[in-house]
Amino acid sequence: MLVKAVILVGGPEKGTRFRPLSLDTPKPLFPVGGVPMIQHHIEACCKIPELKEILLVGYFQPNEHWAQFVTTQAKLNNVVIRYLQEFAALGTAGCIYHFRDQILNGSPESIVLMNGDVCADFQLDAMLAFHRQQDRPVLTLMGTEAVHSQSVHFGCIVENKLTHQVKHYVEKPESYVSSLINCGVYILSPEIFNIIATTIKAKTMDDLSEDFSTLSNSSSRRVSRQRSLSGASVSETLSLENDLITRLAVTGGAYVYYTQGWWSQIKTAGAAIYANRHCLKLYHNAHPSWLAQSEKGKAGPQIIGDVFIHESAKIHPSAVIGPNVSILSHVEIGAGTRIRDSIILNDVVIDENCCILNSILGWGSRIGSWSRIEGTPNDPNPDKAFAKLEHMPLFSDSGFLNPSVTILGAKVNVPSELMVLNSIVLPNKDLSHSYKNQIIL
Amino acid sequence: MKALILVGGYGTRLRPLTLSRPKPLVEFCNKPMLYHQILALHEAGVTHIILAVSYRAEMMEKELTDLASKLGVKMTYSLEEEPLGTAGPLALARDYLEGTEPFFVLNSDVICDFPFKDMIAFHTNHGAEGTLVVTTVAEPSKYGVVLYNEIGRIDSFVEKPQEFVSNKINAGLYMLSPSVLKRIPLRPTSIEKDVFPGMADQKQLYAMELKGYWMDIGQPRDYLTGMCLYLTSLHRRQSGELSTGSQFVGSVLVHETAQIGQNCRIGPNVVIGPNVIVEDGVRVQRTTLLGGSKVRAYSMLNDCIIGWNCDIGRWVRMENVCVLGEDVLVKDELYINGGFILPHKEIKVSVLEPQIIM
């Protein structure tokens, strides 16, 4: 028996809400818990004993950094990892259909399909075992509980409580449907490709009939027909959520695997800090050695709670770090600096006596002594079980920037004694004074 | 020689500091405000000081008695039953002021290089009833402007001029001959509006220009400006009181009992009071730390007045005119922007916009 995994990594048009950080690195490589976001996906897949191959599917132009990441991960996990580049965004079902030959090569028994922008305590073995227990399963999706008011921002699932069969599915409904939501993690049986093919056929027919009914001009009809018959057509832009699961809810074959583990989307940079906290927490079991410790008797920085520090980072012994901090490679941190709930990206230099709270400092940024970089956390409501991150709009109704985490883009220079509060600074800026609640272009 | 200091009321403009101490006893550059005036008057030969107060401040009497006896100055407290304005208190204290010698009158909020000896000479020289000290300000439209001729004789006063007439304003320091007392009735009267214009009309009032700095330090923002001016003046006079060392920048006054940690950067324009503790890695500028307060490591204060026995946590940032009353506790890692915090408060969350914390 053979299992393959497909991780959807998106492309440069995606992750815009992750700017300015996605301007300098593809979002899937943004570190959460000190390692690229999708490394967590790869690790989770590699825990499946029958896993033979991981296919990363997206439409990034692969650069050196990306290629290196793929090679390193393949070696590290002793698994084949390949990047399949879409020439256009084909949709979640469209893209796997497009690469069906590569996916089906070797006749996998099951295929794990994961969205690259979710972060979770993925229990794929258990999910796979669940999938195999079902009666002629086509697709199993991971579901989790959301609070009533927030559920409408996700794909909502109605299940048969006994059989866990999906009875009804709506992506981002306008009104409440169910508080059981789609986590964007699936197990597919190869049978799915036949269903996608049928769906495409049906959709093409729909499109064509629509064309005939709406267009009387024969030349535009011809263009439309050509378009739909030429490889990546409009109809091949097919969404697993909208086009397939809804169909399977009627015909049967879709099941929901309920997880009680932690799960979150990472759409915004603010979500990265929240996800970082949970990733670090998962390291207590998965990678205890990745968590930094205050060394007794040794002069080292004081570590509070869960902290990841790359081995190449230099941190003054009088600094106080944590909880929820990731410090990446070649970072330098001076005496008396305090960092909490923040991600410090590679090559950042922080001078003495600084205070960094709820912020992400971009690659190669420099912070002068006594400067304060502070943001406002937008963590889920702590008083509600299953509450998810609220993805607030950038601006409030009154036109003001909503307080959020502070983000410095790459190579931002903050001189001594300044304050950057609830602001977003685009790359390569030299700040000359303090900023509050602003976007600095 | 005698002097009357118009101390007045509760000093509400300098709250929350004046909730714990009467305003004349709030330290300015490590001395109670009134000490600056008493010491300068003593140096000019004044032996009897009358304090015109509108409420009974026993604390004030107690604290001033020691200084007075040390200097050999007689202190009298003239208590107003009802507010008498700026001239009424002279009528109330008439018994003390009458005689042949001219006397000084001053507002208690004023800080400058007091020119009392020059005033005596100037007053004797012109021979008229009154001398009024004027100072130059950048924005005279907020004040009462004084118009006088080339020999200093005052012609008139213009209250809050809308067009530029002069940038010389009343500095709140006067020398008056006892005959002026006849002009003042025992009822609420303003010396600036009711008494001086009449004296000017009769060519009995002369203006003496003040050299150097001047500030009315009755409210926090001006208190801090006054502190900068005072420290600059100390620096110019090459006073040995100012601190020197690698961690000090510009003019800094540190009380001998204060402790300062390693790797700090203090100044310019900082006053550190008695028994203050400043821990390692602290940055302070344009700030007064009153007695017994503590600033924990790695914090940064700019434009603050920190009241007595306050405790500022680590990695705290305070700026934009913060005034902390007595015994305020600020927890670690907070940001306080322009907070006026009443005494005995414990601050646990950041104050992002200027506001009063009751």
Side-chain angles (χ1 to χ4, degrees):
Chain A
M1 263 197 308
L2 189 147
V3 174
K4 285 199 183 188
V6 177
I7 303 171
L8 304 175
V9 296
E13 296 101 284
K14 295 278 173 182
T16 53
R17 279 185 284 174
F18 211 69
R19 286 175 183 168
L21 297 165
S22 55
L23 294 175
D24 293 279
T25 202
K27 183 174 133 183
L29 293 186
F30 186 84
V32 172
V35 302
M37 220 183 265
I38 58 163
Q39 187 172 330
H40 298 291
H41 295 67
I42 293 172
E43 281 187 8
C45 292
C46 291
K47 282 188 190 145
I48 301 171
E50 305 95 324
L51 184 93
K52 284 290 164 309
E53 187 178 35
I54 299 176
L55 299 169
L56 307 175
V57 178
Y59 40 102
F60 286 108
Q61 202 59 46
N63 61 11
E64 209 175 297
H65 190 176
W66 177 256
Q68 200 196 345
F69 170 77
V70 172
T71 322
T72 318
Q73 285 304 310
K75 241 182 232 163
L76 207 67
N77 295 292
N78 195 24
V79 65
V80 179
I81 303 181
R82 285 196 293 148
Y83 176 54
L84 303 178
Q85 192 186 353
E86 297 168 73
F87 50 90
L90 297 172
T92 39
C95 73
I96 55 167
Y97 188 69
H98 183 77
F99 292 114
R100 58 190 179 276
D101 293 345
Q102 280 95 329
I103 297 170
L104 294 174
N105 181 23
S107 310
E109 171 244 4
S110 306
I111 299 127
V112 178
L113 176 68
M114 306 172 90
N115 271 327
D117 66 354
V118 297
C119 207
D121 183 9
F122 304 111
Q123 301 289 345
L124 297 178
D125 304 20
M127 187 174 171
L128 190 61
F130 171 90
H131 179 77
R132 286 168 176 160
Q133 281 164 18
Q134 306 312 316
D135 176 32
R136 279 177 295 144
V138 177
L139 173 149
T140 294
L141 55 128
M142 189 182 278
T144 190
E145 191 75 25
V147 291
H148 194 110
S149 61
Q150 289 182 321
S151 64
V152 293
H153 305 308
F154 301 90
C156 294
I157 311 159
V158 181
E159 62 161 355
N160 177 325
K161 285 236 169 15
L162 287 173
T163 63
H164 300 296
Q165 200 155 38
V166 176
K167 293 198 309 195
H168 184 55
Y169 183 89
V170 198
E171 186 68 17
K172 300 191 179 80
E174 278 178 31
S175 55
Y176 177 76
V177 170
S178 162
S179 58
L180 184 60
I181 61 161
N182 181 1
C183 295
V185 177
Y186 312 92
I187 310 278
L188 310 175
S189 298
E191 167 68 10
I192 191 91
F193 290 98
N194 298 330
I195 297 169
I196 297 176
T198 323
T199 314
I200 290 174
K201 226 170 269 168
K203 220 183 164 195
T204 313
M205 291 310 287
D206 285 354
D207 283 358
L208 286 176
S209 61
E210 234 169 74
D211 286 342
F212 281 121
S213 61
T214 53
L215 298 171
S216 53
N217 186 312
S218 61
S219 64
S220 41
R221 191 192 312 151
R222 204 177 308 129
V223 171
S224 163
R225 183 188 275 260
Q226 276 172 352
R227 210 169 38 145
S228 36
L229 295 177
S230 68
S233 66
V234 179
S235 12
E236 220 174 299
T237 307
L238 202 66
S239 150
L240 197 66
E241 297 84 350
N242 287 324
D243 299 319
L244 281 187
I245 305 176
T246 38
R247 189 174 281 251
L248 288 170
V250 180
T251 59
Y255 295 88
V256 56
Y257 169 76
Y258 183 84
T259 179
Q260 289 196 310
W262 169 77
W263 174 86
S264 179
Q265 286 178 313
I266 306 183
K267 297 277 189 201
T268 62
I273 293 181
Y274 167 68
N276 194 61
R277 179 186 308 140
H278 284 273
C279 263
L280 294 175
K281 202 163 153 192
L282 295 177
Y283 287 173
H284 282 282
N285 285 321
H287 296 287
S289 65
W290 289 9
L291 293 169
Q293 306 285 340
S294 298
E295 289 170 60
K296 273 186 193 153
K298 268 194 180 174
Q302 187 192 341
I303 305 292
I304 302 171
D306 298 340
V307 172
F308 173 91
I309 298 175
H310 192 272
E311 55 184 14
S312 63
K314 290 195 190 98
I315 301 177
H316 193 275
S318 63
V320 180
I321 315 286
N324 182 24
V325 173
S326 284
I327 294 173
L328 285 118
S329 66
H330 304 101
V331 167
E332 289 176 29
I333 293 171
T337 282
R338 174 82 179 100
I339 306 177
R340 165 162 68 75
D341 293 298
S342 294
I343 299 175
I344 314 299
L345 296 167
N346 314 48
D347 306 308
V348 168
V349 178
I350 304 173
D351 279 354
E352 299 182 353
N353 312 315
C354 292
C355 187
I356 317 287
L357 309 173
N358 297 300
S359 298
I360 300 178
L361 308 192
W363 303 268
S365 288
R366 298 188 67 95
I367 314 296
S369 297
W370 283 295
S371 274
R372 183 181 179 100
I373 315 291
E374 181 175 3
T376 302
N378 52 347
D379 289 345
N381 186 344
D383 300 326
K384 281 187 180 165
F386 311 114
K388 305 283 178 277
L389 276 182
E390 201 68 67
H391 291 301
M392 283 205 300
L394 205 50
F395 294 97
S396 67
D397 290 341
S398 49
F400 291 100
L401 193 64
N402 274 324
S404 66
V405 301
T406 284
I407 303 162
L408 304 189
K411 296 198 174 75
V412 168
N413 184 25
V414 181
S416 293
E417 301 175 20
L418 297 189
M419 165 131 187
V420 183
L421 176 69
N422 300 339
S423 292
I424 298 169
V425 186
L426 269 72
N428 301 306
K429 286 297 292 183
D430 271 331
L431 302 189
S432 53
H433 56 89
S434 293
Y435 286 93
K436 289 175 193 169
N437 308 307
Q438 282 188 53
I439 297 176
I440 300 138
L441 293 173
Chain B
M1 217 180 317
K2 290 165 188 166
L4 180 134
I5 303 177
L6 297 161
V7 172
Y10 294 94
T12 53
R13 291 190 303 162
L14 205 54
R15 281 180 184 166
L17 298 173
T18 45
L19 292 171
S20 304
R21 277 174 161 242
K23 185 174 64 177
L25 292 185
V26 171
E27 291 88 351
F28 175 80
C29 295
N30 283 347
K31 277 186 213 116
M33 283 192 194
L34 212 50
Y35 278 31
H36 292 273
Q37 293 160 336
I38 293 173
L39 289 168
L41 288 168
H42 168 70
E43 211 171 296
V46 171
T47 50
H48 184 188
I49 296 173
I50 299 110
L51 294 179
V53 292
S54 65
Y55 73 111
R56 191 89 190 162
E58 276 157 24
M59 192 182 186
M60 188 156 76
E61 269 191 62
K62 213 175 112 194
E63 287 217 14
L64 291 177
T65 309
D66 282 353
L67 178 75
S69 61
K70 204 168 83 186
L71 298 173
V73 173
K74 183 181 170 193
M75 302 290 288
T76 304
Y77 300 87
S78 173
L79 179 70
E80 303 167 42
E81 301 291 337
E82 52 170 329
L84 290 173
T86 48
L90 274 77
L92 189 68
R94 179 189 297 256
D95 293 348
Y96 303 115
L97 299 172
E98 265 174 346
T100 52
E101 246 188 348
F103 52 86
F104 293 109
V105 175
L106 48 151
N107 286 332
S108 68
D109 294 346
V110 165
I111 203 82
C112 62
D113 287 330
F114 294 102
F116 295 129
K117 280 183 178 161
D118 294 347
M119 285 168 79
I120 299 171
F122 183 82
H123 189 78
T124 316
N125 196 29
H126 66 64
E129 281 186 75
T131 295
L132 178 155
V133 178
V134 293
T135 185
T136 311
V137 289
E139 294 175 49
S141 63
K142 292 191 282 187
Y143 302 88
V145 167
V146 185
L147 299 176
Y148 50 90
N149 66 12
E150 63 282 358
I151 57 160
R153 202 184 68 223
I154 295 173
D155 293 322
S156 60
F157 296 88
V158 186
E159 195 56 34
K160 299 195 170 69
Q162 296 200 315
E163 269 180 60
F164 185 87
V165 284
S166 164
N167 57 3
K168 296 286 188 287
I169 64 151
N170 179 350
L173 305 174
Y174 321 115
M175 179 155 231
L176 304 175
S177 297
S179 60
V180 173
L181 294 170
K182 295 193 193 99
R183 299 175 180 271
I184 305 170
L186 183 55
R187 59 163 190 263
T189 314
S190 159
I191 199 163
E192 297 88 354
K193 292 195 181 95
D194 304 328
V195 181
F196 286 160
M199 289 173 70
D201 289 347
Q202 295 169 12
K203 302 181 171 41
Q204 286 300 318
L205 194 59
Y206 282 72
M208 185 185 107
E209 291 179 5
L210 181 69
K211 294 185 196 81
Y213 73 98
W214 175 89
M215 199 71 215
D216 177 333
I217 56 169
Q219 46 189 326
R221 198 173 284 274
D222 297 337
Y223 176 102
L224 288 170
T225 308
M227 172 194 74
C228 296
L229 295 170
Y230 181 91
L231 292 175
T232 307
S233 166
L234 283 186
H235 177 74
R236 221 175 265 146
R237 285 186 274 139
Q238 299 185 322
S239 163
E241 291 175 69
L242 293 177
S243 298
T244 50
S246 61
Q247 51 191 347
F248 299 111
V249 187
S251 307
V252 177
L253 193 61
V254 180
H255 194 273
E256 56 187 21
T257 56
Q259 296 170 40
I260 295 183
Q262 301 292 309
N263 206 10
C264 291
R265 209 172 140 83
I266 314 281
N269 298 314
V270 171
V271 174
I272 295 180
N275 303 311
V276 166
I277 298 171
V278 175
E279 293 185 352
D280 295 348
V282 169
R283 178 79 184 100
V284 190
Q285 46 192 324
R286 211 174 189 274
T287 287
T288 288
L289 298 167
L290 294 173
S293 52
K294 181 174 195 173
V295 183
R296 293 178 190 265
Y298 321 119
S299 283
M300 173 163 166
L301 309 180
N302 188 1
D303 243 351
C304 301
I305 307 174
I306 306 298
W308 308 271
N309 304 314
C310 284
D311 186 341
I312 313 295
R314 300 200 293 171
W315 291 290
V316 167
R317 184 185 179 105
M318 296 175 62
E319 61 190 13
N320 196 14
V321 191
C322 289
V323 185
L324 270 55
E326 181 185 13
D327 178 37
V328 168
L329 178 78
V330 179
K331 293 275 193 185
D332 288 353
E333 298 166 24
L334 298 184
Y335 170 56
I336 315 284
N337 174 18
F340 278 48
I341 303 172
L342 270 66
H344 312 296
K345 287 294 289 185
E346 186 176 331
I347 304 297
K348 295 177 192 161
V349 292
S350 289
V351 178
L352 297 179
E353 294 302 328
Q355 60 181 286
I356 297 164
I357 311 288
M358 295 291 279

